Amino acid sequence: MPELDADWLSQVRWDAQGLIPAIAQEQTTGDVLMLAWMNREALAQTAALGRAVYFSRSRGRLWYKGEESGHVQQVHEIRVDCDRDVVLLKVTQTGHSPASPATRAATAASSACSRTVRGRPWTRS
């Protein structure tokens, strides 16, 4: 990952609890893997380590993705949206194969549940 400006974390718009939603997206396929939360320390650790670190609201502590599941997320890019209130991580997740039967079934189930949004057809890019 490229070197980040020293002040970049202060430009993020944290919510009242000091958190920001983070979307993990598989770099090669574009699959959305998960939505989690990050605090300032988690985002700083993610940038420093090149590995996804989230803040677990239920545990009240940092959560190094894969510490229990083995599904570690190597981070290739960190993007912040134009409002600076959502983070997108482009990752490669170990233990996740986009071509696996389980992943295809989950994607099909997700697509089946998301065919319409507000009565309009769902558009996939």
Side-chain angles (χ1 to χ4, degrees), residues 15-92:
D15 72 9
Q17 291 77 39
L19 302 173
I20 190 169
I23 300 166
Q25 181 180 37
E26 178 64 45
Q27 171 188 304
T28 56
T29 64
D31 289 351
V32 173
L33 302 175
M34 60 184 284
L35 169 72
W37 295 89
M38 297 179 124
N39 63 6
R40 186 182 186 101
E41 184 180 1
L43 188 50
Q45 285 285 312
T46 296
L49 299 173
R51 174 185 173 185
V53 180
Y54 300 105
F55 181 78
S56 170
R57 296 178 300 166
S58 60
R59 298 177 189 131
R61 66 172 177 84
L62 292 183
W63 162 40
Y64 291 77
K65 177 64 177 145
E67 66 186 332
E68 294 176 16
S69 68
H71 294 183
V72 174
Q73 293 174 345
Q74 177 189 359
V75 177
H76 303 283
E77 282 183 61
I78 300 173
R79 295 184 181 192
V80 180
D81 76 331
C82 58
D83 294 326
R84 299 181 324 271
D85 61 358
V86 176
V87 171
L88 174 69
L89 303 177
K90 297 274 193 157
V91 304
T92 299

Side-chain angles (χ1 to χ4, degrees), residues 115-122:
R115 290 201 174 135
T116 60
V117 175
R118 295 186 190 146
R120 296 187 188 139
W122 176 259

